[in-house]
Amino acid sequence: MIGELYERALEGRDGVEVEFEDGTGHRDPLPVQEWMALRPGDQGLLERCSGPTLDVGSGPGRLTVALTERGLLALGIDIAPYAVALTVAAGGPALCRDVFGNVPGAGIWTTLLLADGNIGIGGDPRTLLERALGLLAPGGRVLAEVMPPGIRTYTGRVRLRNGRVVGDWFPWAWVSADDIAGLAGECGAAVTEVWEEAGRWFVALNR
């Protein structure tokens, strides 16, 4: 059901929301339309990519496609087949893969992207960052989008819903810019840059 609801959102159907399992019933719209084309804040992220770049949780592939158009070797990976198909149709290479599974080119990537909150994949940012760092070539770095300072780091479960159609709960997280240095240190990495663009916050991590 997660995939079905996500695909509905990618198809432009209205009303897909993210519900948080925090006892409040809080929901946010799933911002799929923001992922369909380059958005404010993307340029600084793209400009910091160098060498072979792995876009984790690439969705419909706007960043993968943009990097390919810049002449970089790039690959998007996503667990949603429809999202991968959208990326390929737009001219970007992409595969249906789980970042915790068999990822092509492990050890060759000089940049790994975790944009659009994808640092929350799996609900355990430390485990995800350790995996991301392990996929990099020596001297490579992770570029991740984080929450603005002052917003608390969250780990928990969420689910997608569209009216009466409700998906299963799955683990998710987000990390505050206030906490990313400590998290990086736990993974044997260091934050080498923090920047803000168009109200979005990003960090670069190197091992």
Side-chain angles (χ1 to χ4, degrees), residues 56-58 98-100 114 117-125 127-128 171-173:
V56 174
S58 51
D98 184 333
V99 66
F100 297 108
L114 292 170
N118 284 336
I119 197 170
I121 290 172
D124 184 345
T127 297
L128 177 61
W172 197 256

Side-chain angles (χ1 to χ4, degrees), residues 9-34:
L10 289 172
E11 291 169 355
R13 303 187 197 183
D14 295 332
V16 178
E17 298 176 306
V18 182
E19 180 180 0
F20 297 84
E21 190 187 39
D22 58 4
T24 67
H26 176 71
R27 304 177 195 175
D28 286 329
L30 186 68
V32 170
Q33 292 308 308
E34 295 183 2

Side-chain angles (χ1 to χ4, degrees), residues 98 186 207:
D98 184 333
E186 292 174 4
R207 173 163 280 170

Side-chain angles (χ1 to χ4, degrees), residues 41-110:
D42 283 346
Q43 289 302 325
L45 190 63
L46 293 169
E47 289 167 1
R48 288 168 171 82
C49 294
S50 62
T53 299
L54 182 66
D55 184 8
V56 174
S58 51
R62 75 182 193 283
L63 298 175
T64 303
V65 171
L67 290 167
T68 301
E69 290 174 345
R70 289 172 176 232
L72 288 181
L73 172 65
L75 176 67
I77 60 170
D78 200 285
I79 62 170
Y82 185 64
V84 169
L86 289 175
T87 304
V88 173
L95 294 172
C96 193
R97 292 286 192 278
D98 184 333
V99 66
F100 297 108
N102 181 20
V103 176
I108 72 160
W109 306 107
T110 56

Side-chain angles (χ1 to χ4, degrees), residues 92-174:
L95 294 172
C96 193
R97 292 286 192 278
D98 184 333
V99 66
F100 297 108
N102 181 20
V103 176
I108 72 160
W109 306 107
T110 56
T111 307
L112 186 146
L113 293 178
L114 292 170
D116 301 324
N118 284 336
I119 197 170
I121 290 172
D124 184 345
R126 175 175 176 173
T127 297
L128 177 61
L129 282 180
E130 288 175 342
R131 172 59 171 161
L133 291 162
L135 291 170
L136 292 174
R141 65 179 181 171
V142 175
L143 302 179
E145 186 167 356
V146 295
M147 299 300 285
I151 294 181
R152 294 180 62 185
T153 293
Y154 170 85
T155 57
R157 297 201 303 172
V158 300
R159 64 182 177 184
L160 302 183
R161 63 185 305 147
N162 177 263
R164 295 182 179 180
V165 181
V166 181
D168 296 327
W169 293 107
F170 59 94
W172 197 256
W174 60 71

